[in-house]
Amino acid sequence: MLNRGPTHHASPPPERPRARCRLVLPQNKRQLNPYRLLTENGSTDLCRFDGQPFPGGEMGSSAFGELLRDCRLSAGWTQDELADRSGVSSHSISVLEAGRRQPRLSSVSRLADALALDPRRREQLLAAARTVSAPPRPAVARGPARPRPGAPCQLPYDTRLFTGRARELDQLLALARSAPAGSSSGMVVISAIDGMGGVGKSALAVRAGHRVRGQFPDGQLFVDLHGHTAGISPVTPADALDWLLRSLGVPPQQIPEDLSTRSALYRERLADTRTLIVLDNAASSAQVRPLLPGTPGCLVLITSRKRLAGLDDAHSLAVDVLPDADAIALLHEGAGPGRIPAGHPATDELVRLCGRLPLAIRIAAGRLRHHRGLDLDDLVDRLRDEHQRLAHLTDEDRSLTAVFATSFAAIAPDEQNLLRLLGRFPGYDVDTCAVAALAGIDQRGAERLLESLLHHNLLLQRTPGRYLFHDLIGLYARSKAEEETGETDRDAPLHRLARYYQDTAARANEHLARRTRPGRRPEPAAPAALPALTDRPKALAWMRSEHRNLLALLGHPALALLPSFTVSISADLAAFLLLEGHWGQAAALHRSAVATAAAAGDRRGEADALCDLGRARHATGDYRAAAELYEEALAIHQKLGDGHGEANDLHELGRIRLLTGEIQEAAWLHERAVAAFRALGDRLGEARALCDLGRARHSSGDSPAAVELTLQVLTLYRTMGDRRGEAAALHDLAYVLDDMGDRDGAGDFYQEALSIYEELNSVQGVANALRGLGRVRHAVGDHRAAAELHQRSLDTCRKAGSRHGEADSLLGLGRARDALGDDADAVALYRRALALYQEIGSRVGETKALLALGALTERTADPHAALLLHQQALALAHDTRSPLSEARALEGAARCALALGDSAAALAGLEDALALYRRLGSPSAADAAARLSALRTGPAPAAGGRPPQWSTSAPTRPAP
């Protein structure tokens, strides 16, 4: 261990022997020695002065190869990219950079042209090539490069517990190669390495220093500036210069007292030398600025927990936590051979609990290495306790809590207060507006404090404008949150934050909601800082960034006495959660809001939450539960005399009735909803109800009326500038035209709807439009394209969790596979669709699946089985009053009856089907009439036989 001594020597240090030197420390007792050398794990060690390279310290490639590689890396190219641009093969470039081939000047010239080198750099490369290409001299045995006699070698030992960091090391090695020529502006080359405490900055700088020491024969200087060392004040620039000048051989009595003069002497001593200077653990730019050489030739590596933005000429290198693979490798290396079984399932969780922070991983690995009775599962179990995790990540001389405490102590009081407040925040990442509300300050002040914490690496920024904790620093901040922040009301910050979120969510919802709820709550006072939510994309982006915070905040004990917050946030998140497919979250949120509102006696809030919960159940295909919830909400709204609530409930209930096949009741409900919305002057509600009334008309067989209503809706939405509504109307219009046989018109409208849905990033809308296009491609005979479109729709629905959409997509994909002759796949897809329709209670969908399965069974199996399927479909279609499906079921049953020899039943069934087709104006009427004519005029079949005129005319592909 190094002794801590004073700042100055009483006499010059003795000369260092060439073979091995001891570090002579200052003898003055006035202060602790600021120059002890810290290893990455926090322990101290003596420096080596024997001049021997540490492992990995001497590079073996030729000067030309190194220079070529440096030029390539400066251009930011790979070897393959340089090969493409120069015409020199990537293999040739590889062996040239490795120094295993003499370069040809013609190739070097092409490489220089491709790299667009400036004249000076180009001549350097050509000169190096000429030197290599000269006649070889007799071989002379070479040993490892050695420092010049008397050159200081102060680098700490290079720890073996070092994994990964290949990209960072490459950057530092490239800087080292450029040090002789200096930076592009001719200045000394400086790298400022920053990162949070324990991330491995010092280990990286030391590893790089050992790798490049052969390039700096005039010495390697190392100073721990104690910017964040517990119990030790940061080293002053004057004291650091005193140490550095002594290390360079300046007698103490010749070191000037004045800082500027001392710095000038230091720069003079380093001029025209090739010296590596490592300034570890810097506190600020002001601390290191006087310690920088003045001329090229040297390399300065600086580590700091703070981003040294004041060093304009420095190359910044931010060090993050380790990637998973490197973190696991470090854990295995630190724990020792065989200590952790390969592929142990707890390994991933352990490095995650350590936040992939190297110091935390080393401490955890050390515990496993030295405590043989502690196994991996036991350690993981202990670290799962967030309240005790930091306490477990400590050993005899290393402590994460102590590391974070020194960072905390280095920031200003107002920044400390904000860190404490953020420790109480239950959410994820935050923006300046939310922090302004939390802290009770303006947005500019919040931004200043957040940026300062970011520069001290106490916060992270994964997304521009948003700030978050590293997991372990978050635990430390939560431990500090118990301290006083100067406010008498401890819950006041979270109440301010709740009011901010309540107001901003309401403003965002105005751009997203598809229903009007006027007067739902009094308008709250606007917070001091608000995001600019001027349009739908901005509102959607804000919701995507903040909805997890809103949900997390709802469960905080400090807000338990604010029931209005839960009810309000539930209502304002409803549209967003539906739009994004977060239906499970929506259901949980709305259930909580129903209970909260009921307990508070808020009947209107309860009814609104019941309706929102019904929509979540609707989205997941639980139609029975949705209908019950809508009926319950309707009863409350009617009792309260809430016209808007009643209209919304009628409309939503009508949508469910249509899906469950109760078409006449659905039409009646939508007619009532249209009248109610018109009376209220709610054009958006009127358009939505009219759209669904059009669907009911189409399902009941009045397709021309459906087209007329949908065109009215389309005009309404375009007049209002409602793009989402416009897309929905286009989709519905396409669907009706498709059923009426207008494939071209349907395809155009589906494509137009798809473009709008993609523009709006509507997952469900995109899936619906893809499925519609698939039906059109199927109808015109392009079954492979249809299969591809239905598969895309299926993937999208599964990702979004839309069970009804999944069933529809399975049915469409089954029809395409059926038409392509993939009978086994088609049967499996039909049966999966049928089961899903039955599970969610969609009788209309169940009818369609039975029809498709029946038609396939006709062609591939027993007509008795096919007849049974068609009869089941017929009963459902009749019960749900779906005349088009009823006609198709009658026609299918007639085909089966004829195949079984029952001509009379076949004739009667086909006559009934034709009557329905003609009443509906369906294009299927022509085919049915031709088949009926053939049946009437053809010869009677023998018992059990099939009449040749019609038996071969069964559909060869499923109906669209």
Side-chain angles (χ1 to χ4, degrees):
M1 298 284 286
L2 290 180
N3 294 322
R4 293 172 177 167
T7 304
H8 299 294
H9 285 294
S11 59
E15 290 189 2
R16 301 181 179 91
R18 178 173 301 182
R20 186 172 181 84
C21 294
R22 293 183 301 107
L23 176 61
V24 180
L25 297 175
Q27 300 300 313
N28 192 334
K29 303 286 186 181
R30 286 180 299 174
Q31 66 174 40
L32 292 173
N33 170 32
Y35 311 121
R36 66 187 179 93
L37 305 181
L38 287 178
T39 64
E40 181 59 23
N41 64 10
S43 63
T44 60
D45 204 343
L46 289 175
C47 309
R48 292 183 58 179
F49 287 89
D50 58 6
Q52 297 301 317
F54 286 82
E58 179 69 13
M59 301 184 65
S61 57
S62 69
F64 171 78
E66 291 289 338
L67 184 56
L68 174 59
R69 184 172 184 271
D70 181 39
C71 292
R72 175 176 61 78
L73 291 176
S74 297
W77 294 350
T78 64
Q79 291 178 343
D80 289 338
E81 289 171 333
L82 178 55
D84 290 339
R85 289 167 169 82
S86 66
V88 180
S89 71
S90 57
H91 173 72
S92 296
I93 295 171
S94 176
V95 296
L96 284 173
E97 289 187 355
R100 299 198 302 270
R101 175 183 295 175
Q102 290 186 353
R104 296 180 181 177
L105 292 180
S106 59
S107 296
V108 177
S109 180
R110 298 210 309 269
L111 291 168
D113 290 340
L115 290 165
L117 300 178
D118 61 63
R120 181 180 67 85
R121 199 69 162 166
R122 179 189 182 91
E123 184 53 39
Q124 285 180 342
L125 189 66
L126 289 170
R130 293 188 192 101
T131 302
V132 176
S133 301
R137 298 180 179 179
V140 178
R142 296 181 56 191
R146 300 174 66 89
R148 293 177 183 172
C153 176
Q154 299 177 352
L155 292 176
Y157 82 91
D158 187 8
T159 176
R160 67 176 181 83
L161 294 183
F162 187 97
T163 62
R165 305 297 190 203
R167 178 186 62 84
E168 293 88 344
L169 274 173
D170 276 348
Q171 292 186 36
L172 295 177
L173 298 181
L175 288 176
R177 289 189 292 274
S178 67
S183 65
S184 58
S185 58
M187 306 296 290
V188 66
V189 175
I190 307 166
S191 177
I193 306 168
D194 73 88
M196 62 182 290
V199 82
K201 304 177 295 297
S202 298
L204 174 63
V206 170
R207 171 59 59 94
H210 283 293
R211 291 281 297 272
V212 303
R213 22 186 321 261
Q215 301 175 49
F216 299 94
D218 294 307
Q220 303 92 45
L221 303 174
F222 183 95
V223 181
D224 185 347
L225 296 173
H226 293 301
H228 298 86
T229 303
I232 302 178
S233 301
V235 177
T236 65
D239 285 343
L241 283 169
D242 178 82
W243 165 258
L244 290 167
L245 286 169
R246 290 167 183 265
S247 301
L248 292 171
V250 178
Q253 61 271 23
Q254 295 181 15
I255 297 176
E257 289 295 327
D258 178 67
L259 175 62
S260 60
T261 310
R262 189 175 288 189
S263 181
L265 177 60
Y266 169 71
R267 291 194 297 271
E268 178 185 332
R269 283 301 181 109
L270 289 178
D272 300 322
T273 71
R274 296 188 58 184
T275 305
L276 171 66
I277 303 104
V278 180
L279 305 176
D280 191 38
N281 201 5
S284 65
S285 300
Q287 184 188 30
V288 300
R289 196 174 288 114
L291 314 182
L292 303 177
T295 56
C298 297
L299 172 66
V300 184
L301 301 180
I302 308 168
T303 72
S304 178
R305 295 187 194 176
K306 183 179 179 181
R307 296 179 184 175
L308 302 180
L311 300 180
D312 295 333
D313 295 320
H315 297 266
S316 296
L317 177 59
V319 181
D320 205 346
V321 295
L322 291 171
D324 288 331
D326 292 340
I328 292 171
L330 179 61
L331 179 65
H332 278 277
E333 183 70 18
R339 189 66 177 86
I340 301 176
H344 194 291
T347 306
D348 290 340
E349 185 177 1
L350 179 57
V351 298
R352 181 184 62 78
L353 291 171
C354 291
R356 294 183 287 124
L357 189 68
L359 178 56
I361 294 171
R362 287 193 179 99
I363 293 173
R367 295 192 64 180
L368 292 171
R369 187 184 189 94
H370 297 295
H371 300 277
R372 308 304 292 183
L374 180 69
D375 65 23
L376 184 60
D377 290 316
D378 290 336
L379 181 56
V380 167
D381 188 56
R382 295 180 188 185
L383 293 180
R384 286 183 182 135
D385 183 354
E386 290 190 356
H387 298 289
Q388 296 298 320
R389 188 179 305 163
L390 291 179
H392 287 304
L393 291 174
T394 186
D395 57 22
E396 60 182 355
D397 63 353
R398 298 177 298 188
S399 166
L400 276 181
T401 299
V403 168
F404 298 151
T406 56
S407 295
F408 182 78
I411 58 178
D414 54 353
E415 293 160 3
Q416 292 179 346
N417 280 337
L418 180 59
L419 195 83
R420 293 188 186 100
L421 287 176
L422 292 173
R424 295 195 66 203
F425 180 63
Y428 302 85
D429 57 346
V430 294
D431 65 2
T432 55
C433 292
V435 172
L438 181 69
I441 56 179
D442 61 28
Q443 188 173 1
R444 181 171 296 181
E447 184 175 11
R448 178 184 61 80
L449 294 176
L450 286 167
E451 285 297 310
S452 179
L453 293 175
L454 183 67
H455 288 161
H456 281 87
N457 281 291
L458 288 168
L459 287 178
L460 305 174
Q461 192 170 61
R462 305 297 189 200
T463 304
R466 301 195 66 81
Y467 306 81
L468 72 157
F469 282 127
H470 178 275
D471 288 347
L472 296 179
I473 293 183
L475 292 179
Y476 177 78
R478 284 195 279 281
S479 73
K480 302 297 290 183
E482 301 304 317
E483 299 177 2
E484 293 296 328
T485 60
E487 294 204 50
T488 55
D489 182 357
R490 176 172 171 76
D491 292 333
L494 288 176
H495 287 176
R496 287 194 300 264
L497 184 65
R499 287 194 295 272
Y500 160 77
Y501 273 133
Q502 189 171 349
D503 185 70
T504 311
R507 293 169 188 267
N509 187 51
E510 290 174 359
H511 297 285
L512 304 178
R514 306 298 300 162
R515 292 182 298 172
T516 305
R517 283 175 170 171
R520 180 166 54 85
R521 65 169 184 268
E523 186 72 15
L530 281 173
L533 304 179
T534 54
D535 54 32
R536 190 175 188 277
K538 289 186 176 66
L540 191 56
W542 186 87
M543 280 288 196
R544 285 173 177 159
S545 298
E546 297 287 0
H547 82 278
R548 294 195 306 164
N549 289 340
L550 294 173
L551 293 173
L553 197 59
L554 283 171
H556 198 283
L559 303 179
L561 299 178
L562 297 177
S564 63
F565 177 69
T566 299
V567 176
S568 173
I569 293 300
S570 169
D572 287 327
L573 278 179
F576 168 78
L577 293 174
L578 281 179
L579 180 66
E580 296 285 288
H582 303 304
W583 299 324
Q585 286 183 347
L589 171 62
H590 301 321
R591 278 198 305 270
S592 175
V594 169
T596 301
D602 180 3
R603 295 289 283 166
R604 185 175 186 178
E606 180 185 358
D608 287 348
L610 284 166
C611 187
D612 287 333
L613 181 56
R615 295 183 75 203
R617 294 301 187 204
H618 177 168
T620 57
D622 192 351
Y623 299 148
R624 295 181 183 88
E628 292 173 0
L629 290 162
Y630 290 145
E631 288 171 344
E632 191 175 351
L634 178 62
I636 297 174
H637 280 133
Q638 287 175 334
K639 186 174 181 179
L640 294 174
D642 184 340
H644 252 107
E646 181 181 352
N648 286 326
D649 298 334
L650 288 168
H651 177 218
E652 297 297 344
L653 187 56
R655 296 176 68 205
I656 289 294
R657 298 302 187 214
L658 184 61
L659 287 169
T660 55
E662 300 164 89
I663 296 171
Q664 287 187 341
E665 184 179 355
W668 176 72
L669 288 165
H670 287 314
E671 286 171 349
R672 289 180 61 192
V674 168
F677 283 127
R678 280 179 178 162
L680 294 165
D682 184 346
R683 299 180 69 199
L684 176 61
E686 178 188 352
R688 294 176 64 246
L690 275 172
C691 194
D692 286 312
L693 180 58
R695 292 176 184 174
R697 291 283 184 258
H698 174 61
S699 296
S700 64
D702 194 354
S703 297
V707 170
E708 182 180 349
L709 286 169
T710 309
L711 287 172
Q712 291 180 37
V713 172
L714 184 60
T715 301
L716 272 172
Y717 279 131
R718 283 175 170 167
T719 302
M720 292 186 289
D722 187 332
R723 296 283 283 165
R724 183 174 176 81
E726 180 184 356
L730 287 166
H731 176 275
D732 287 352
L733 185 58
Y735 185 89
V736 175
L737 292 176
D738 186 14
D739 268 358
M740 294 175 69
D742 184 358
R743 312 300 184 195
D744 291 338
D748 290 342
F749 287 128
Y750 276 135
Q751 188 61 57
E752 194 173 349
L754 177 62
S755 298
I756 297 175
Y757 280 132
E758 288 177 334
E759 173 192 326
L760 298 176
N761 196 26
S762 170
V763 176
Q764 190 62 59
V766 167
N768 292 341
L770 287 170
R771 195 161 53 248
L773 286 170
R775 286 194 296 268
V776 171
R777 299 317 306 162
H778 176 89
V780 299
D782 190 354
H783 305 305
R784 295 196 183 279
E788 181 183 346
L789 288 162
H790 283 300
Q791 184 64 59
R792 288 171 59 191
S793 175
L794 178 62
D795 294 341
T796 303
C797 289
R798 282 176 171 165
K799 183 178 179 181
S802 172
R803 299 170 72 208
H804 197 291
E806 180 181 353
D808 286 347
S809 301
L810 285 167
L811 182 60
L813 183 58
R815 286 170 172 159
R817 295 296 184 200
D818 189 350
L820 290 168
D822 299 334
D823 295 340
D825 283 351
V827 168
L829 290 163
Y830 287 153
R831 292 198 179 280
R832 285 160 59 192
L834 177 61
L836 195 50
Y837 282 130
Q838 290 171 335
E839 183 180 338
I840 63 179
S842 175
R843 300 169 75 199
V844 174
E846 184 180 353
T847 304
K848 293 178 181 178
L850 286 168
L851 286 172
L853 191 57
L856 177 57
T857 306
E858 284 181 59
R859 298 190 303 276
T860 61
D862 180 7
H864 287 282
L867 179 60
L868 181 60
L869 290 167
H870 285 305
Q871 287 173 340
Q872 292 177 24
L874 179 61
L876 278 172
H878 181 75
D879 193 33
T880 58
R881 294 177 176 82
S882 302
L884 183 58
S885 293
E886 189 175 352
R888 288 172 176 165
L890 284 166
E891 186 177 6
R895 289 193 303 268
C896 294
L898 191 64
L900 294 170
D902 190 348
S903 299
L907 186 63
L910 192 57
E911 286 174 344
D912 289 344
L914 178 59
L916 282 173
Y917 281 139
R918 283 175 171 166
R919 179 166 67 82
L920 298 172
S922 170
S924 299
D927 287 341
R931 290 175 178 175
L932 182 60
S933 176
L935 181 59
R936 284 171 174 166
T937 59
R946 302 184 185 183
Q949 295 93 333
W950 198 42
S951 61
T952 58
S953 63
T956 58
R957 68 175 69 94

